[in-house]
Amino acid sequence: MFKTLRILILLLVLLTVAGTTWLGRWQAQSWKRPQVVTLYPINAGGDAATEAYLDRLDESAFAGLEPYFKEQAARYGVALSQPVRIVLGRRVRALPPPVPRDGSVLSAISWSLRMRWWAWRETPPSSPVPDVRLFLMYHPTDFASALPHSTGLEKGRLGLVHVFASRSQAGPNQVVIAHEALHTFGATDKYDPITLMPRFPDGYAEPQAEPRLPQARAELMAGRVPLRENEARIPADLTETLIGPVTALEIGWVK
Ligand SMILES: [Zn+2]
């Protein structure tokens, strides 16, 4: 009797989890109302220059994002006048759990769970209620090495985005923010994980172009503009990127 009851309860829990995941995905990809993407700035290294930059940070540093999503969505016939709404949330003082370096599947799963738990505890209240939460890790422009890898999670609909604390970097910063935001809508990367080169054809903004290289723009989920067979550059801002048809299909812009 008890055993049957336990199995029933377990089944109910599993069904609820599956249902919530499905509902979340359906909501994220139905594009019936604007999706609220809230940005939470964090001073990653705790330095004074970044602190001063964040004290003055306002929405104008993200002004390119909403029109970009509107323009790209319209290309695929999404009728919403504002598919994505960007909200600048309050600063978060706590640091997220460090991303594991070993790259194993198990540590990635464990980090994703700890990250979701951390986000659940540390997200400051804001209005409107966010659909997607992106935690922006700000680094000084003289940051010694390459920025850590940014991550966007579809499950939990949140992301950890590494950006530069400088007005002059507003362009590239917004490219990274848009890229990670799309991961939370179900988009996948379109570059080779080893070489970081955009994959042909889905990682190319204009795969039909003749000659194929150099390309003028980047596919957003490939992240780079292919120049030569083994050379690609980071786009200067969102106007040098577009959302390709495979990504549009993944995020529900094309049915
Ligand atoms: Zn990515």
Side-chain angles (χ1 to χ4, degrees), residues 149-152 179-180 183 187-191 221:
H149 196 72
S150 296
T151 318
H179 175 107
E180 301 306 333
H183 275 313
T188 60
D189 282 324
K190 290 168 185 68
Y191 59 81
M221 299 314 289

Side-chain angles (χ1 to χ4, degrees), residues 238-252:
L238 285 168
T239 63
E240 290 192 345
T241 80
L242 57 75
I243 293 172
V246 177
T247 301
L249 190 72
E250 289 169 339
I251 63 174

Side-chain angles (χ1 to χ4, degrees), residues 195-198 204 212-215 224-234:
T195 65
L196 304 183
M197 286 298 292
Y204 277 53
R212 190 189 288 174
L213 293 168
Q215 293 266 310
R224 282 161 203 257
V225 186
L227 299 176
R228 278 188 277 269
E229 209 53 60
N230 295 308
E231 191 189 342
R233 68 173 175 87
I234 307 262

Side-chain angles (χ1 to χ4, degrees), residues 31-43:
W31 302 100
K32 296 266 184 268
R33 61 168 178 83
Q35 293 288 300
V36 177
V37 175
T38 306
L39 312 173
Y40 304 95
I42 298 174
N43 184 346

Side-chain angles (χ1 to χ4, degrees), residues 92-197:
V92 171
R93 305 281 168 180
L95 290 177
V99 179
R101 285 162 187 275
D102 66 355
S104 79
V105 176
L106 213 63
S107 56
I109 293 173
S110 147
W111 178 81
S112 140
L113 288 174
R114 277 180 293 135
M115 182 64 203
R116 284 157 75 181
W117 169 249
W118 177 88
W120 181 74
R121 287 185 47 165
E122 300 295 342
T123 305
S126 66
S127 174
V129 174
D131 295 298
V132 171
R133 292 169 294 167
L134 295 182
F135 297 91
L136 306 186
M137 299 281 278
Y138 278 90
H139 300 269
T141 36
D142 59 357
F143 193 68
S145 47
L147 284 187
H149 196 72
S150 296
T151 318
L153 301 172
E154 187 186 1
K155 289 199 180 76
R157 309 207 63 202
L158 56 91
L160 193 58
V161 189
H162 292 274
V163 287
F164 282 117
S166 163
R167 195 75 210 182
S168 67
Q169 293 296 310
N173 282 353
Q174 290 179 93
V175 172
V176 186
I177 293 168
H179 175 107
E180 301 306 333
L182 280 204
H183 275 313
T184 73
F185 291 104
T188 60
D189 282 324
K190 290 168 185 68
Y191 59 81
D192 183 307
I194 311 277
T195 65
L196 304 183
M197 286 298 292

